[in-house]
Amino acid sequence: MTWGLWNNWMLPGIWITIQVTLYSAAIALAVSFTIGTARTSRLWIVRFLSGIYFELFRGASALVLMFWLFFALPIAAGWQLVPMWAGVLALGLTYGAYGSEIVRGALAAVPTAQREAGIALNFTKLQRLVRIELPQAWPEMIPPFNNLAIELLKGTALVSVISVADITFSANLIRFTTTESAPIYSIILVMYFVLAFLITRGMRVLERHAKAGVGKAPERSGGLWSKLSLRRGRSEAAGAITAGGAR
Amino acid sequence: MNWDWEVVEEFLPRFWDGVLVTCQALLGGTLIAFTLGLVWALAQRSNLVWVRWPVNAVTEFIRNTPLLVQLFFLFYVVPEWGPSMSPLATGVIGLGIHYSTYTAEVYRAGIDGVPRGQWEAATALNLSTAVTWRSVILPQAIRRVVPALGNYVVAMLKDSPMIAIIGALDMLGEARFFSAETFQYVEPITLVGIAFIVIAYPASLLIRALERRLATY
């Protein structure tokens, strides 16, 4: 491998991957909160429409959506998205659908007495949501959001197929030029793992702050393995939202 | 927006071929993921540190790195050392191994969920380790994780179009080739997108029903 390829493609590629992750995470977060709270609405039509969004985008495959936004939308609509934004949008919309289930679940887990106290204090629905329910639900959302963020990071590799020059794209290019595939693919697998590890560390800091904010002690972590383990929260079998997103 | 039904008609035969390949990939991937996942889960409970740690490390690594890159690795790197495989075979193995690290967690949770009393009863009845696992622990553990396993099958379905990138002719692969030949992009890709939703939605309804049924035990 030559340093020219490394400096011209791989290093900017890392930055592109980080950018795609951050942008699509921002969209996913906005979608999660919008759809997640809409699904707890009292109005059936709001619940119904947000439910349709959830089922549609949870059932759709992120890669197919990305292809559709990149190849079909320009022809169907007559205008084109920059490749990176087609990728970011596809990832944000699908992972936002999974995230909405996290928000909905965490809101549902806030003790009913809290909601009733809000009613007794004559809070409006919005005040209750913003001042009582969301602040208490937020710390509970962070561990599942951590897992989802890792899934999202893994998903960003898909943007390479619509010619966004991220880590995976650069690796393919380097394989093409140097015809040596073993080192480069091994290196980028490790890179993705390191990025996932950084996400986990960041999320733990965030969780500690969020828990302190509502007067809860942070969870004690166990042995070395649980410290090194990247996934958070109770077992995924318990029905937590996962990857390709279950449930 | 101009939708041309003739293009759809032209694409349909290939689409059905693609559906078949997607089903094969899904079936193969599921078989590998379910069996290999159980192997991982049992190895993670091993008493031997030098079995437990490497298995933990490997599954953690596979789970937290992109499936697409793993597919590239299997498709371009592995043939340098060993046998070269067809895109579909690579896809099946890639999907299977990747999701086995998820199903391992599921099995682990299921095994942890078996009450302690069951283990003690097996000991009291003087059952051997193999019999304890086979006839006492696993039947109870697997029953309660069936819905969670089903969720991963749906997740795998949605990741399966990735095998088109290494050249397998699944639904998306067929759509890509068709579009490249005819320059008709809208209809094939839309059709494939709808097909995924049409398959995934009833599947998740089925899993929810299953969950309710099994929850009573």
Side-chain angles (χ1 to χ4, degrees):
Chain A
M1 190 188 329
T2 54
W3 286 110
L5 281 172
W6 188 264
N7 289 336
N8 290 329
W9 289 97
M10 190 47 87
L11 296 182
I14 297 173
W15 176 230
I16 295 277
T17 291
I18 294 173
Q19 271 180 310
V20 171
T21 311
L22 290 178
Y23 293 150
S24 42
I27 294 181
L29 204 61
V31 170
S32 310
F33 276 96
T34 316
I35 302 294
T37 48
R39 287 181 69 208
T40 61
S41 168
R42 250 186 334 192
L43 301 169
W44 73 267
I45 184 77
V46 177
R47 277 204 312 272
F48 180 70
L49 290 177
S50 52
I52 286 186
Y53 177 92
F54 173 68
E55 294 294 353
L56 271 186
F57 282 88
R58 203 192 48 160
S61 163
L63 182 61
V64 177
L65 182 63
M66 211 178 277
F67 263 77
W68 194 86
L69 287 176
F70 188 67
F71 290 112
L73 186 70
I75 300 170
W79 44 269
Q80 202 170 356
L81 284 166
V82 182
M84 180 158 142
W85 283 101
V88 165
L89 200 61
L91 290 173
L93 292 177
T94 31
Y95 285 86
Y98 306 142
S100 76
E101 184 70 3
I102 296 175
V103 173
R104 196 188 61 86
L107 283 177
V110 173
T112 328
Q114 296 288 333
R115 209 161 303 137
E116 290 164 355
I119 298 171
L121 291 169
N122 203 19
F123 278 28
T124 65
K125 182 102 180 47
L126 187 69
Q127 278 176 323
R128 269 202 327 265
L129 188 69
V130 175
R131 296 188 171 267
I132 299 177
E133 290 167 32
L134 279 179
Q136 294 188 62
W138 171 237
E140 300 306 313
M141 294 178 202
I142 294 178
F145 270 143
N146 171 50
N147 297 351
L148 195 63
I150 295 176
E151 293 300 331
L152 182 61
L153 171 71
K154 286 163 57 184
T156 61
L158 295 179
V159 300
S160 66
V161 305
I162 55 167
S163 69
V164 178
D166 76 331
I167 294 180
T168 311
F169 186 88
S170 313
N172 283 337
L173 201 83
I174 290 174
R175 172 183 60 81
F176 233 63
T177 8
T178 64
T179 67
E180 273 183 41
S181 46
I184 189 63
Y185 284 126
S186 311
I187 290 172
I188 69 165
L189 281 173
V190 174
M191 274 183 192
Y192 277 108
F193 189 77
V194 170
L195 286 175
F197 185 74
L198 292 178
I199 290 178
T200 309
R201 298 321 297 182
M203 288 294 213
R204 289 208 183 161
V205 174
L206 202 63
E207 189 185 357
R208 213 167 308 136
H209 277 274
K211 284 212 162 150
V214 292
K216 279 186 199 161
E219 213 174 290
R220 286 263 143 243
S221 57
L224 180 64
W225 267 117
S226 74
K227 277 206 181 69
L228 288 177
S229 157
L230 270 66
R231 301 296 170 132
R232 301 299 321 282
R234 287 177 304 278
S235 74
E236 292 165 46
I241 275 287
T242 42
R247 287 163 71 81
Chain B
M1 185 84 190
N2 36 0
W3 181 269
D4 191 347
W5 283 107
E6 273 176 27
V7 176
V8 176
E9 214 166 294
E10 215 176 307
F11 175 58
L12 266 183
R14 291 199 183 186
F15 172 75
W16 291 117
D17 291 347
V19 171
L20 195 67
V21 173
T22 298
C23 290
Q24 285 171 344
L26 194 64
L27 195 70
T30 306
L31 282 178
I32 296 180
F34 282 6
T35 42
L36 198 58
L38 191 57
V39 174
W40 295 141
L42 294 179
Q44 280 168 350
R45 296 182 67 89
S46 162
N47 292 324
L48 306 167
V49 170
W50 51 268
V51 171
R52 210 165 53 220
W53 276 50
V55 167
N56 266 326
V58 166
T59 52
E60 190 83 353
F61 187 79
I62 294 176
R63 195 160 22 152
N64 291 305
T65 48
L67 174 59
L68 185 64
V69 182
Q70 290 166 5
L71 288 175
F72 285 144
F73 193 92
L74 284 175
F75 195 61
Y76 294 115
V77 180
V78 170
E80 286 180 12
W81 311 320
S84 59
M85 295 173 289
S86 73
L88 179 61
T90 312
V92 167
I93 293 174
L95 282 169
I97 293 179
H98 190 81
Y99 275 94
S100 72
T101 61
Y102 286 93
T103 52
E105 285 299 297
V106 172
Y107 284 125
R108 202 186 53 138
I111 294 167
D112 287 347
V114 175
R116 264 185 65 83
Q118 298 289 327
W119 289 95
E120 287 161 4
T123 312
L125 290 170
N126 200 21
L127 299 180
S128 69
T129 320
V131 176
T132 307
W133 276 108
R134 223 174 36 238
S135 341
V136 182
I137 305 303
L138 285 182
Q140 298 183 67
I142 290 175
R143 149 159 247 143
R144 68 182 73 207
V145 297
V146 165
L149 289 177
N151 281 333
Y152 282 112
V153 176
V154 178
M156 204 189 301
L157 167 74
K158 282 177 288 180
D159 273 350
S160 70
M162 281 190 213
I163 66 174
I165 309 299
I166 54 169
L169 287 175
D170 73 326
M171 285 197 265
L172 185 66
E174 293 282 2
R176 273 175 92 204
F177 272 94
F178 183 83
S179 303
E181 282 168 19
T182 61
F183 299 103
Q184 304 283 353
Y185 285 94
V186 181
E187 292 85 357
I189 298 184
T190 310
L191 193 65
V192 170
I194 293 171
F196 272 102
I197 297 171
V198 166
I199 302 173
Y201 183 59
S204 64
L205 286 185
L206 187 75
I207 291 164
R208 264 177 247 177
L210 204 64
E211 208 163 353
R212 263 195 299 273
R213 237 191 101 110
L214 292 177
T216 51
Y217 290 93

